[in-house]
Amino acid sequence: MSSRLSDVNFGSLERRLCRGVSIGDRGHTVMVGGGAPVVIQSMTNTDTVDVISTAIQIKELARAGSELVRITVNNVEAAIAVPAIREQLDKMDVNVPLVGDFHYNGHTLLKDYPDCAKALSKYRINPGNVGQGAKRDTQFAQMIELACKYDKPIRIGVNWGSLDQSLLARIMDENAQRANPWNAKSVMCEALITSAIESAKRAEEIGLPGDKIILSCKVSGVQDLIAVYRELARRCGYPLHLGLTEAGMGSKGIVASTAALSVLLQEGIGDTIRISLTPEPGGDRCKEVIVGQEILQTMGLRKFTPMVIACPGCGRTTSTVFQELADDIQTFLRDQMLVWKTEYPGVESMNVAVMGCIVNGPGESKHANIGISLPGTGESPAAPIFIDGVKAMTLRGDNIAKEFQSIVLDYVKSHYAPTAQNLDKELIKNIG
């Protein structure tokens, strides 16, 4: 093994040091930064005024694994709806912290509707959209003062689509005085970073503690995002929220977000993420949560659900059986995690292999906790099962998929100890 490879600390990424920000109440808080695991968040796309639809979508996002959920608060009706949404969530035992997304009139809504201000766990403030001219500083200050009054953290979220034009003009003037002026993109990136850091410093001057502030500088280009966050991370000690703004639809949005965030996360930059996918018409909003989880899990930063290893298929696997089984098992595991994550701690570390032929099937199956090597085209109609590297049995017939699912379930029950709370419930049930 080369000396360079032997120096690599496999499975461990050094994180950037920053402050920790606690978000939430009602006995449930989420820590962002300060060495805490990278947090996944999402945003609703329902009309906030529709209390029931919004509460239902928040519940779905939380069940999928979103640890913070942001909602639009854009008018009086939305501000009035926020406490009702929180009440509905409490009735459904959904304790995920809510983040209010404010633009243009946030200072007014937070001041005039204190129940809204209290019900939210964090405020998102875009310094480019808090007002123009002399009003900007006053209205920004009003929002910070209200965050102080209600003891709420904030995210100062700068976006290159709504950058403060007066600040941009100032940065352009400064650039014009340089002996070697920067190009337009560099000026834009500097304006984003300056806006975020100066706004954070202003918030602290007004009275908001530094451990109540998270920063973000969102752009839609992969290389631009990487460049901006590297410099932002170098110049401040606040936790950072990562995400491409307007990432796009389908595979484009997933690939772009993965490419940008993976580079930054690998460098230890980023304390909370959102994958801003444009959903297909009628599509599942929870997909952005799943993509975020898979980025963090495949990088080894967090574990959310057992991983399914499956081969891509080739001319040896003209049958679709292994594809269907891999999809069924992956869906089964994700659905079961709603219960397993509390009943069987550690199960999220489990690996399951579903392989389609004899070439790599047995080998990959041996490396997984549980693996099945399905017969490829022309192979003997038998599916050997490997448990912790040892061949345990061979399945045959038409019910292989159902039998394999039962084997996975039995493995979970026998290898991951139930929590003490669930043991007590089981004991009471047995006594009864």
Side-chain angles (χ1 to χ4, degrees):
M1 182 179 290
S2 70
S3 59
R4 179 177 296 176
L5 189 58
S6 65
D7 289 338
V8 176
N9 186 9
F10 289 102
S12 177
L13 297 178
E14 185 176 344
R15 298 280 302 283
R16 162 182 171 267
L17 296 177
C18 67
R19 298 181 178 94
V21 176
S22 180
I23 302 169
D25 43 32
R26 296 174 174 80
H28 178 76
T29 58
V30 174
M31 180 63 70
V32 174
V38 180
V39 171
I40 289 180
Q41 60 180 281
S42 59
M43 186 173 185
T44 59
N45 61 354
T46 56
D47 183 353
T48 306
V49 176
D50 188 339
V51 171
I52 299 302
S53 294
T54 302
I56 289 172
Q57 188 174 83
I58 293 169
K59 179 180 179 180
E60 292 170 347
L61 290 166
R63 283 170 61 90
S66 183
E67 294 155 306
L68 298 172
V69 177
R70 182 157 48 113
I71 59 176
T72 296
V73 188
N74 59 330
N75 54 38
V76 169
E77 292 76 16
I80 293 172
V82 169
I85 292 169
R86 181 73 266 174
E87 183 179 354
Q88 286 294 325
L89 293 172
D90 292 342
K91 288 179 180 178
M92 295 187 290
D93 197 28
V94 178
N95 54 15
V96 64
L98 295 183
V99 180
D101 194 56
F102 294 98
H103 298 273
Y104 310 112
N105 57 356
H107 62 292
T108 299
L109 296 176
L110 286 171
K111 176 174 64 71
D112 292 348
Y113 299 92
D115 288 344
C116 168
K118 295 174 186 176
L120 294 168
S121 296
K122 180 164 73 88
Y123 311 149
R124 186 272 176 128
I125 303 172
N126 183 342
N129 286 341
V130 294
Q132 300 296 322
K135 291 183 178 180
R136 179 190 179 281
D137 289 344
T138 300
Q139 292 172 180
F140 178 80
Q142 288 175 348
M143 296 187 75
I144 300 303
E145 288 166 357
L146 289 162
C148 294
K149 177 179 180 179
Y150 297 113
D151 194 29
K152 304 292 184 179
I154 65 167
R155 170 162 69 93
I156 294 174
V158 184
N159 190 304
W160 75 343
S162 52
L163 187 59
D164 177 17
Q165 294 302 301
S166 61
L167 183 143
L168 178 59
R170 190 190 90 199
I171 300 295
M172 292 174 66
D173 289 343
E174 292 172 357
N175 185 58
Q177 303 304 313
R178 290 189 174 93
N180 297 299
W182 297 348
N183 61 35
K185 185 167 288 188
S186 296
V187 171
M188 175 71 76
C189 290
E190 176 62 22
L192 287 165
I193 296 165
T194 300
S195 177
I197 293 177
E198 288 188 355
S199 297
K201 289 180 178 178
R202 176 61 180 144
E204 289 199 61
E205 290 170 359
I206 293 168
L208 190 67
D211 62 0
K212 294 283 187 182
I213 300 172
I214 298 170
L215 300 186
S216 68
C217 288
K218 288 192 172 184
V219 298
S220 56
V222 170
Q223 296 296 344
D224 296 331
L225 191 84
I226 293 170
V228 166
Y229 272 90
R230 280 174 173 165
E231 184 64 12
L232 182 62
R234 187 185 69 82
R235 286 161 59 174
C236 78
Y238 301 105
L240 302 181
H241 168 68
L242 302 186
L244 279 177
T245 187
E246 299 102 24
M249 296 183 71
S251 60
K252 184 270 178 184
I254 294 172
V255 170
S257 294
T258 303
L261 269 59
S262 296
V263 170
L264 292 167
L265 291 167
Q266 183 71 21
E267 296 177 4
I269 298 170
D271 304 286
T272 173
I273 66 172
R274 184 199 170 200
I275 311 302
S276 300
L277 297 180
T278 303
E280 304 288 344
D284 186 359
R285 189 66 166 180
C286 295
K287 188 173 183 179
E288 67 176 52
V289 178
I290 294 171
V291 172
Q293 287 182 330
E294 290 177 345
I295 290 173
L296 295 180
Q297 185 151 351
T298 54
M299 291 189 68
L301 290 169
R302 291 191 65 181
K303 294 178 179 177
F304 298 96
T305 189
M307 295 289 284
V308 176
I309 302 161
C311 65
C314 66
R316 301 177 65 97
T317 57
T318 54
S319 168
T320 61
V321 173
F322 89 93
Q323 299 166 0
E324 293 164 356
L325 179 56
D327 184 59
D328 289 346
I329 286 294
Q330 187 161 278
T331 301
F332 169 73
L333 293 173
R334 184 167 287 280
D335 290 345
Q336 292 300 309
M337 281 305 295
L338 295 171
V339 175
W340 285 356
K341 65 183 177 182
T342 54
E343 290 193 353
Y344 301 104
V347 70
E348 63 274 7
S349 301
M350 183 174 69
N351 288 320
V352 179
V354 179
M355 306 303 294
C357 78
I358 201 170
V359 173
N360 290 322
E364 288 284 1
S365 295
K366 288 177 183 178
H367 287 302
N369 296 108
I370 310 173
I372 182 170
S373 181
L374 292 160
T377 305
E379 293 178 9
S380 174
I385 302 294
F386 295 85
I387 297 178
D388 291 329
V390 178
K391 183 178 177 180
M393 65 195 78
T394 300
L395 302 181
R396 293 180 173 86
D398 298 328
N399 295 315
I400 287 177
K402 192 171 184 179
E403 291 175 23
F404 183 61
Q405 186 170 298
S406 296
I407 292 168
V408 171
L409 185 57
D410 289 341
Y411 183 92
V412 171
K413 291 180 177 179
S414 62
H415 285 71
Y416 298 94
T419 60
Q421 181 181 8
N422 285 295
L423 284 173
D424 290 342
K425 290 179 181 178
E426 191 67 22
L427 179 62
I428 293 170
K429 184 174 73 174
N430 292 337
I431 293 173

